[in-house]
Amino acid sequence: MNIVVIEELRAYIDPLTPEEHDALERSILAEGCRDALVLWGDVLVDGHNRYGICMKHGLPFQTVQNPRFQSMEDVHLWMIDQHLGRRSISDFQRGVLALRKKEILESRHVASAPQAGESTDDVVATADAMQAPWEGEVIAKAARQVRESRARTKPASVADTPADEVSAETEAPDQTIQRLQGLG
């Protein structure tokens, strides 16, 4: 099998820390590579670290094809969603990934803007078709529930403090995203 590693994809998500990489290597050496590497054709999409460790030590690994990818944008969106689902990423990393996702989805929306002679119904259908297959109301609803849950569990001292006085340590995720947008 000829697996192609594209550096852009390897670098698209923050790399593991040396400690995380060492822990992954110890785990793979002890238990083998439990999770399949995700491919799009011959291109490695997910599992760059596992692939490198397996190749270094001559260990076997499984692969799985993701047939839903139609473009590199689809690959990027899938990678973002996979990493947003992890508990170990910081709010800052979560904000950066959310902004990347927003840019991709906005560019798709602009590309689907009505052309001369095209009805808005056609544009809505096109926009729905361009949406990544794993997107939709279910994910949006889950995000709203998480946001509402966080709002309910905030300590009273933070909830009662004006937004401009909230320190970076207690900053709400929505405020983090607003700050990140201001940097762009």
Side-chain angles (χ1 to χ4, degrees), residues 72-133:
M72 190 58 78
E73 281 184 343
D74 286 347
V75 170
H76 287 159
L77 287 170
W78 184 88
M79 291 175 74
I80 290 168
D81 286 344
Q82 294 305 302
H83 288 275
L84 284 173
R86 295 185 177 172
R87 290 181 285 170
S88 62
I89 66 172
S90 69
D91 283 342
F92 179 80
Q93 290 170 315
R94 202 171 293 284
V96 168
L97 292 171
L99 290 175
R100 284 182 183 170
K101 181 174 182 175
K102 179 183 174 193
E103 289 173 3
I104 293 170
L105 294 177
E106 283 178 347
S107 71
R108 285 184 172 189
H109 181 70
V110 168
S112 67
Q115 305 298 317
E118 190 175 38
S119 78
T120 49
D121 290 340
D122 294 338
V123 172
V124 170
T126 302
D128 289 344
M130 290 178 67
Q131 193 174 37

Side-chain angles (χ1 to χ4, degrees), residues 8-67:
E8 173 202 357
L9 291 180
R10 180 195 306 251
Y12 196 70
I13 303 295
D14 287 340
L16 296 177
T17 64
E19 295 81 16
E20 291 169 330
H21 190 275
D22 290 346
L24 178 62
E25 188 167 20
R26 283 191 306 273
S27 171
I28 289 174
L29 289 172
E31 302 172 21
C33 188
R34 296 181 310 212
D35 298 322
L37 309 179
V38 178
L39 302 177
W40 178 36
D42 290 340
V43 175
L44 181 59
V45 173
D46 185 54
H48 291 87
N49 293 301
R50 287 176 276 138
Y51 177 68
I53 292 166
C54 288
M55 295 304 289
K56 175 182 173 182
H57 296 285
L59 298 173
F61 53 86
Q62 300 294 314
T63 62
V64 62
Q65 286 288 331
N66 190 326

